[in-house]
Amino acid sequence: MFLRALLAFLMVPVVVAGIVPFTIALYDPFKSTGSLAGILPLAIGMAILLWCVRDFYVSGKGTLAPWDPPNNLVTVGLYRFVRNPMYVGVILILSGWAILTGSPIVAGFSLFMSTAFFFRVKMHEEPWAERIFAAEWQNYKDNVPRWLPQLKAYYPEQ
């Protein structure tokens, strides 16, 4: 399972949050100087992403890949504060790239991916979680916000 998780990590977030924005910025004719301030959201986003990938592997017994989803509803770690921390982390990484490179096209890509993530969650992931995890999902959904983290941690009833 470790190899599946590693492959999923390399194929999905490394491509979307690493290779694509780097390549866009490399060829963006509109980019400006950029700012080192982009390192902060990029680093925070990376930390969030790695934490979530670990939680999917350890607690969820699956990967972040759509073809190998977790077998258990993941409600530990950052998932106690927000339902989609992995997507939040990727958007922070993309925003960091946009600031760091000064690329308006990377900024546009970040907005595009934010929209794509919203529709993926709303139309695919949440209906899937409702079908697979039923009452456990409903309880989680009722207590944890989708995008903006809450201050108090969610602890499911055992």
Side-chain angles (χ1 to χ4, degrees):
M1 185 163 98
F2 175 76
L3 289 177
R4 288 193 330 248
L6 180 61
L7 179 65
F9 178 74
L10 293 174
M11 289 181 68
V12 182
V14 167
V15 170
V16 170
I19 295 170
V20 171
F22 178 79
T23 304
I24 290 171
L26 201 58
Y27 295 103
D28 181 357
F30 308 107
K31 72 179 173 195
S32 63
T33 317
S35 170
L36 290 176
I39 291 173
L40 184 61
L42 199 143
I44 292 169
M46 284 293 294
I48 290 170
L49 178 62
L50 292 171
W51 187 348
C52 292
V53 168
R54 180 205 168 273
D55 285 343
F56 260 46
Y57 178 74
V58 174
S59 178
K61 306 293 185 224
T63 74
L64 60 92
W67 60 86
D68 191 19
N71 295 312
N72 303 318
L73 183 62
V74 180
T75 60
V76 300
L78 298 175
Y79 289 90
R80 291 181 183 203
F81 300 93
V82 64
R83 291 197 314 254
N84 297 290
M86 197 177 309
Y87 288 133
V88 171
V90 170
I91 295 306
L92 281 170
I93 293 169
L94 291 173
S95 299
W97 273 116
I99 295 165
L100 193 60
T101 63
S103 170
I105 298 177
V106 173
F109 178 67
S110 178
L111 290 172
F112 170 79
M113 291 308 299
S114 297
T115 304
F117 291 158
F118 173 81
F119 284 108
R120 173 156 178 77
V121 164
K122 192 87 168 117
M123 299 170 107
H124 174 72
E125 292 184 5
E126 289 184 348
W128 174 84
E130 190 171 354
R131 255 188 342 273
I132 300 300
F133 302 114
E136 184 184 10
W137 164 253
Q138 190 61 49
N139 185 38
Y140 178 65
K141 181 179 151 185
D142 290 346
N143 288 286
V144 179
R146 184 184 287 142
W147 300 111
L148 297 176
Q150 62 188 2
L151 295 179
K152 68 176 186 68
Y154 165 73
Y155 291 98
E157 299 161 8
Q158 301 297 339

